[in-house]
Amino acid sequence: MIQKDELIASIDIGSSKIKCLIAKTRNDRIEIVGKSSVASKGIAKGLVANFHEANLAVRECLEIAEKQAGISLNKIIVNAEFENIFSSILTEYKSINGEPIEHEKDIQGLIHIAVDEISKNNKNKGILHVFSTNYKIDKKINVENPVGFKANTFSTDIHAILADYSSIDNLKNMINSCELSLETYVFGAYALGLSFLTEEDLKEDIICIDFGKDKTSFAIFENHSLSYVGVIPFGSNHISKDLAKILNIKLDVADRIKIESGNCALNESIKDKIEYLPVHLFPDDDFRKISKTMVNTIINSRVEEILQLIYRKIRSYNLTDIKSKKIYLSGRGSNLMGFLSLVRKYFSQRTEFVLQKKHQDQNLINNLSQDFLICYGIIKNCYYGFSSE
C-alpha cells in the first residue's frame, strides 16, 4: 500500500483513449492534482499493436498530467486489461492439529503454496492479483478472520488473476520507454469496482461490466472479495464494423449512425414501421436510404451476442441466481440506447449505470467523469488497499 503522503499516478491505456491521473491525499481524502486524456494510438484490445504510435500517445498523456501537477513522474501504476486475462481458483487445506491459527505460518503459508501451484500450472502466465477468502475451520465453520481460532484443519479459497507474460512485458516496455518504472498492474474491471463500491455495497454479490471499444470485461465481487473476472474480445467498435460492412458505408459514418440513431433494444411495436435515417448522418456525397429497423437489427444482433458470451462466462463460474444480483455498467459502449434494458433482460432487473450510483466522493467523481473511473479505482486501491488481496 502507498504511503498516505506520497503522490501516486495511474494510467489507463485503452483503445479509444489514454487517461492519466496524479493524486495525493489531504485529510485522508484523495485529491487529484493532475489529469489528462488523449486519443489513443497503436493500442488494440489493451495490447500494444504499434509501439511507436503508442509511445507517442502515452508520452503526450503523461506530459499533460505532469504539467498540471507541476511534477515529473518516475513511476506509475497501469491498468492491465488484456483479452487473455483469466481467473484461476483453487482451495488449499492445512492440518492445524488443534493449534491456534497464525497469520504468517498458516494463512500466508497457504497463499504461498497456492501461488506456487498456480505458477507451475501456468508457466507462460504472470499473476496480476491474488485474493484469499472463504476461510473455513474443520471443513465446515466459516469465519471472517481465522487468526487465533483453534482447529484440526484450516482452508481458504485462493483466486488469482493471470495474463500472458508477453502482454505484460509489452506494456512494461512501453512504460519504461517513457522513462518511467512500472510500479504494478491493476485489472481494469476490478479497479472500476473499487472506484465506487463501499463496504456496505460489498455485503451483497455485485457484477461490474465495462463495455469498451474493442473488448468487454467484467468482475464479480462476493464475500468482500473479487471472486471471478473475464474479458470478451468484442466491444462497441464491432457494432460499427458490422454496420459498415453490411450497409456498405464508411466506418466513421457507421459510428455516427450507431451513436446518434442506433437502438440495440428492438421495439416490436414499431418494427414494421418504415422510417429512414436522417440525411445529416451522411456526408453530402455519401447519402444512403437506410431504414432504422435494419440498423437496429444489426446493432441488436451484435449486442445480444456479446451479452450471451458474458452470461455464459459468468455461468461457467457457477454463480447462483444471477437474476437477483446487483449489476453496474460502465464504458462508452454502455451509453448505446437500449443497452440498459437488454442487460436487465439477460442478467438482472437490478442493473444501473455506475454514474447513477450515489458516490461517497460525489463531487470528485462529477469532476472526473466516467473516463477516469478506472484510474481513480487504481489510486484508491493503492492508498487504501482491499482487505482480501
Side-chain angles (χ1 to χ4, degrees), residues 180-196:
L180 286 173
S181 63
L182 195 155
E183 190 162 2
T184 190
Y185 306 88
V186 178
F187 176 60
Y190 168 49
L192 173 65
L194 296 181
S195 73
F196 68 93

Side-chain angles (χ1 to χ4, degrees), residues 88-93 106-123 125-132 156-162 165 388-389:
S88 179
I89 303 168
L90 51 83
T91 302
E92 291 289 347
Y93 295 86
D106 300 317
I107 298 178
Q108 289 297 326
L110 282 186
I111 293 172
H112 288 311
I113 291 170
V115 168
D116 287 343
E117 186 174 339
I118 290 169
S119 297
K120 288 176 183 176
N121 294 331
N122 300 276
K123 292 185 178 180
K125 310 286 183 185
I127 296 177
L128 303 180
H129 299 280
V130 177
F131 301 88
S132 177
T156 181
D157 292 342
I158 305 296
H159 169 215
I161 301 178
L162 300 95
Y165 275 125
S388 62
E389 185 174 8

Side-chain angles (χ1 to χ4, degrees), residues 88-93 107-108 110-111 114 130-137 141-146 154-160 202 205 220-228 317 386-389:
S88 179
I89 303 168
L90 51 83
T91 302
E92 291 289 347
Y93 295 86
I107 298 178
Q108 289 297 326
L110 282 186
I111 293 172
V130 177
F131 301 88
S132 177
T133 188
N134 291 335
Y135 300 113
K136 287 185 180 181
I137 57 177
I141 304 172
N142 290 287
V143 292
E144 185 174 333
N145 183 356
F154 163 64
S155 68
T156 181
D157 292 342
I158 305 296
H159 169 215
L202 292 169
D205 299 342
I220 301 174
F221 292 84
E222 295 178 291
N223 301 319
H224 292 266
S225 181
L226 183 68
S227 57
Y228 194 68
Y317 168 64
F386 192 56
S387 59
S388 62
E389 185 174 8

Side-chain angles (χ1 to χ4, degrees), residues 138-300:
D138 295 333
K139 297 184 179 181
K140 58 183 179 181
I141 304 172
N142 290 287
V143 292
E144 185 174 333
N145 183 356
V147 174
F149 280 89
K150 292 184 177 181
N152 293 315
T153 61
F154 163 64
S155 68
T156 181
D157 292 342
I158 305 296
H159 169 215
I161 301 178
L162 300 95
D164 287 351
Y165 275 125
S166 59
S167 302
I168 295 172
D169 288 343
N170 285 335
L171 201 53
K172 182 178 180 180
N173 291 337
M174 168 60 57
I175 296 300
N176 292 160
S177 72
C178 297
E179 291 82 46
L180 286 173
S181 63
L182 195 155
E183 190 162 2
T184 190
Y185 306 88
V186 178
F187 176 60
Y190 168 49
L192 173 65
L194 296 181
S195 73
F196 68 93
L197 293 175
T198 65
E199 285 296 317
E200 186 66 26
D201 294 324
L202 292 169
K203 288 180 179 179
E204 64 173 325
D205 299 342
I206 287 172
I207 304 173
C208 294
I209 299 176
D210 188 32
F211 188 25
K213 180 181 177 180
D214 53 18
K215 63 185 184 308
T216 304
S217 58
F218 68 86
I220 301 174
F221 292 84
E222 295 178 291
N223 301 319
H224 292 266
S225 181
L226 183 68
S227 57
Y228 194 68
V229 303
V231 179
I232 306 299
F234 300 102
S236 64
N237 197 45
H238 290 81
I239 299 171
S240 300
K241 289 180 178 179
D242 289 345
L243 290 170
K245 183 177 180 180
I246 296 171
L247 302 177
N248 193 26
I249 55 178
K250 295 176 182 176
L251 185 60
D252 61 332
V253 175
D255 203 49
R256 192 182 308 125
I257 290 171
K258 176 190 70 178
I259 294 169
E260 295 187 28
S261 192
N263 190 331
C264 59
L266 294 177
N267 190 333
E268 295 296 329
S269 65
I270 62 169
K271 197 171 181 181
D272 296 327
K273 182 180 177 181
I274 299 177
E275 188 176 349
Y276 296 101
L277 294 175
V279 176
H280 79 268
L281 292 174
F282 300 87
D284 294 338
D285 60 346
D286 202 26
F287 175 69
R288 296 284 307 282
K289 192 174 182 180
I290 300 171
S291 75
K292 289 186 177 181
T293 299
M294 179 181 291
V295 168
N296 293 338
T297 300
I298 295 168
I299 294 174
N300 173 267

Side-chain angles (χ1 to χ4, degrees), residues 41 50-60 173-174 177-178:
K41 295 179 181 178
N50 184 308
F51 193 92
H52 178 68
E53 288 187 351
N55 177 270
L56 292 176
V58 169
R59 282 178 178 273
E60 180 187 1
N173 291 337
M174 168 60 57
S177 72
C178 297

